[in-house]
Amino acid sequence: MRYYSTSNNAQKVSFRDAVIRGLAHDGGLYMPEVIPTLEDNFIRKLGSLSIHEIAYEVLKEYFKENIEGSELKALIRDALNFDIPLVPITENSYALELFHGPTLSFKDVGARFMARTLSRFAGSEDKGIYVLTATSGDTGSAVAHGFLGVDGIHVVILYPKNGVSEIQEKQMTTLGKNITAVEVNGTFDDCQALVKKAFSDPGLTKELALTSANSINIARLLPQMIYYFHAFAQSKAKGEITFCVPSGNFGNLTAGLLAKKMGLPVNFIAGTNINDVFPKYLVEGEFAPHASKRTISNAMDVGNPSNFQRIQDLYGHSLEKIRKDIPAYSVTDAETKEIMKTVWKENKYMLDPHGAVAYAALQKSGKIRNGNRGIILETAHPAKFREVVENTLEIPVRLPESLTACMKKEKSAIGMNADFNSLKDFLLGQKQLS
Ligand SMILES: *Cc1c(COP(=O)(O)O)cnc(C)c1O
């Protein structure tokens, strides 16, 4: 399987190159040149397969140029070492709990896959590989944990000062080893712009093998397909199934759309907070990025969703087709809190603010009727957003042990203005040291 850039379909690269580069040199995002269709028989027998067996069948064509057979199977076992249960909320709605990994975020899935994929490629890069990532909170910790102690890889994480929760900050800034956290005096969009600029700066890319672990990296994106198949396998539903995906950069949703294209018979809805560029695009036909606005579902405070390019590419740039396939709803903080309260009161299910956005969007869509089922993606453990959850539900939320341990450690981060030259000097300096 070769990969092309969404900005230039003619130039194709290997899986290895797509993973190491992250973003294509022309600024586009990598897409697989073909999306293989799975056999009906595979879909029918999904219920009898383990998540590791599903993962192998779904991923093998995409990885096989560089990683195949028993090596891919070992990678899958190592990366997917936690449960992803489908938990009922009401009779016809479920939460797919993606937060049972080491940082209690769905991003653990993609980050663990990417770290293990990249470490198999690091040996052939004599400069060592630099993973440069902008985060609004959850990516940073998942990436840092996923790569911690992996040979030949240096991780640099940019996060907005005062823009992430205390827990998120601790998870990124207390690891040491090959992980460096940079606290940027600016917003998440500033961080993301700095990272994008670094990838297109010839002075940097000549000196350093730079890669991104943001959701733009194909090695993070593709494995996220697995849990849509796995959820479908667990649901045993007769009627239609609709996944509602709480979205920021739209990587999670894009993976779902790829799964659908491979043959998974399901529908999708996108849920956003008031950073509503995508829902607006459906209504107005124009994609108008804006500065991100802060909300209580802050991992989705994205004003310019990077995977939009991939979605357009998947649908041949047809607004009509995108409208038909991906209804989208924007949800305010007040609505998010309201649904958290209702679901707790009536169903005793504790939603985190991101899962709550999805649940509210699912309700707005009116899709769960007449035996049809809705599955929301629960992308973070409620304890990661403890303050909001405790203030909203007025009950204490217990921190899992893995979190209490890192809360006690000392923060270590490098302060920086949102200025590209500062970042460039810093990165080149890191190279001198290593
Ligand atoms: C990153 C994140 C999202 C958004 O995922 P995208 O793939 O960027 O759309 C949603 N919820 C949580 C908790 C996240 O960390």
Side-chain angles (χ1 to χ4, degrees):
M1 176 83 70
R2 313 276 296 166
Y3 292 80
Y4 63 85
S5 155
T6 49
S7 303
N8 175 358
N9 299 11
Q11 257 185 20
K12 292 183 183 148
V13 302
S14 66
F15 178 58
R16 181 183 172 283
D17 285 351
V19 173
I20 291 180
R21 286 184 200 168
L23 194 68
H25 293 329
D26 59 17
L29 275 59
Y30 285 114
M31 283 291 277
E33 103 192 294
V34 221
I35 295 166
T37 323
L38 294 159
E39 287 172 21
D40 290 347
N41 193 28
F42 170 75
I43 304 292
R44 270 197 300 275
K45 70 174 189 196
L46 271 175
S48 65
L49 301 178
S50 72
I51 191 166
H52 293 156
E53 289 167 329
I54 293 173
Y56 180 72
E57 289 304 318
V58 170
L59 295 181
K60 65 181 184 191
E61 287 300 318
Y62 297 101
F63 279 57
K64 78 173 180 196
E65 194 181 345
N66 305 102
I67 301 174
E68 60 172 340
S70 57
E71 199 184 356
L72 177 58
K73 285 182 184 166
L75 191 155
I76 289 169
R77 271 196 307 275
D78 191 20
L80 274 181
N81 64 347
F82 50 88
D83 287 342
I84 303 183
L86 187 68
V87 178
I89 298 177
T90 64
E91 200 182 325
N92 48 19
S93 66
Y94 301 79
L96 181 64
E97 292 187 347
L98 294 162
F99 55 70
H100 296 280
T103 71
L104 313 178
S105 156
F106 88 96
K107 293 190 171 77
D108 284 328
V109 176
R112 290 177 65 80
F113 263 95
M114 185 185 163
R116 281 149 189 81
T117 305
L118 201 58
S119 77
R120 281 163 169 81
F121 299 151
S124 48
E125 291 285 330
D126 55 10
K127 300 175 275 190
I129 293 178
Y130 282 76
V131 173
L132 187 61
T133 289
T135 184
S136 53
D138 274 2
T139 302
S141 48
V143 166
H145 281 259
F147 284 89
L148 184 65
V150 175
D151 269 352
I153 298 182
H154 316 270
V155 178
V156 179
I157 298 166
L158 276 61
Y159 71 95
K161 184 174 180 163
N162 303 325
V164 302
S165 76
E166 193 193 348
I167 295 174
Q168 288 171 332
E169 185 171 44
K170 285 280 186 180
Q171 283 186 310
M172 294 185 275
T173 58
T174 58
L175 291 167
K177 292 192 184 165
N178 57 334
I179 314 295
T180 308
V182 177
E183 185 175 23
V184 175
N185 215 339
T187 63
F188 168 68
D189 292 326
D190 293 328
C191 297
Q192 202 164 26
L194 284 173
V195 168
K196 276 205 167 183
K197 193 140 189 213
F199 284 110
S200 58
D201 185 84
L204 267 180
T205 48
K206 202 170 87 216
E207 290 297 319
L208 303 171
L210 274 185
T211 190
S212 162
N214 280 13
S215 49
I216 54 176
N217 198 295
I218 198 80
R220 269 190 60 189
L221 187 81
L222 296 172
Q224 292 181 350
M225 286 190 289
I226 299 165
Y227 44 73
Y228 290 101
F229 287 93
H230 174 63
F232 181 83
Q234 291 176 80
S235 72
K236 300 182 182 78
K238 299 235 160 44
E240 278 185 23
I241 291 185
T242 301
F243 283 103
C244 188
V245 187
S247 296
N249 267 317
F250 284 73
N252 213 0
L253 179 68
T254 302
L257 299 171
L258 284 169
K260 180 171 180 173
K261 203 142 194 191
M262 290 184 80
L264 190 68
V266 295
N267 303 311
F268 286 93
I269 294 172
T272 70
N273 56 32
I274 55 165
N275 291 284
D276 59 352
V277 180
F278 187 79
K280 267 225 176 95
Y281 160 75
L282 297 186
V283 175
E284 293 167 9
E286 206 172 313
F287 187 72
H290 56 62
S292 62
K293 300 173 200 148
R294 294 220 175 149
T295 72
I296 56 169
S297 49
N298 68 29
M300 309 197 299
D301 292 353
V302 180
N304 187 5
S306 53
N307 281 287
F308 181 67
Q309 291 179 45
R310 282 195 172 113
I311 294 176
Q312 277 198 306
D313 192 81
L314 260 179
Y315 288 90
H317 294 257
S318 160
L319 171 65
E320 213 175 307
K321 285 185 189 155
I322 295 175
R323 264 189 189 141
K324 193 164 148 275
D325 241 22
I326 325 171
Y329 301 88
S330 139
V331 175
T332 63
D333 278 357
E335 290 170 320
T336 307
K337 288 184 190 165
E338 201 49 47
I339 203 91
M340 286 166 71
K341 282 189 214 164
T342 309
V343 170
W344 176 250
K345 206 169 113 210
E346 293 177 3
N347 312 104
K348 282 283 164 276
Y349 189 84
M350 194 184 287
L351 291 163
D352 99 291
H354 305 79
V357 165
Y359 205 85
L362 186 65
Q363 287 207 330
K364 285 189 185 198
S365 78
K367 287 260 184 200
I368 33 177
R369 277 182 310 203
N370 311 329
N372 293 337
R373 312 285 171 106
I375 299 178
I376 60 147
L377 270 54
E378 239 315 354
T379 46
H381 191 296
K384 287 200 87 166
F385 298 90
R386 184 178 179 183
E387 253 182 62
V388 177
V389 178
E390 288 190 337
N391 289 340
T392 307
L393 303 184
E394 297 176 336
I395 51 158
V397 176
R398 213 173 61 87
L399 282 190
E401 223 160 274
S402 58
L403 281 186
T404 34
C406 89
M407 293 302 284
K408 290 188 197 128
K409 293 189 193 154
E410 197 69 32
K411 159 185 166 183
S412 156
I414 291 173
M416 197 180 281
N417 283 329
D419 158 58
F420 180 65
N421 282 326
S422 307
L423 177 66
K424 186 170 174 177
D425 290 347
F426 167 75
L427 288 172
L428 292 173
Q430 288 287 106
K431 194 201 166 196
Q432 301 287 310
L433 293 176
S434 67

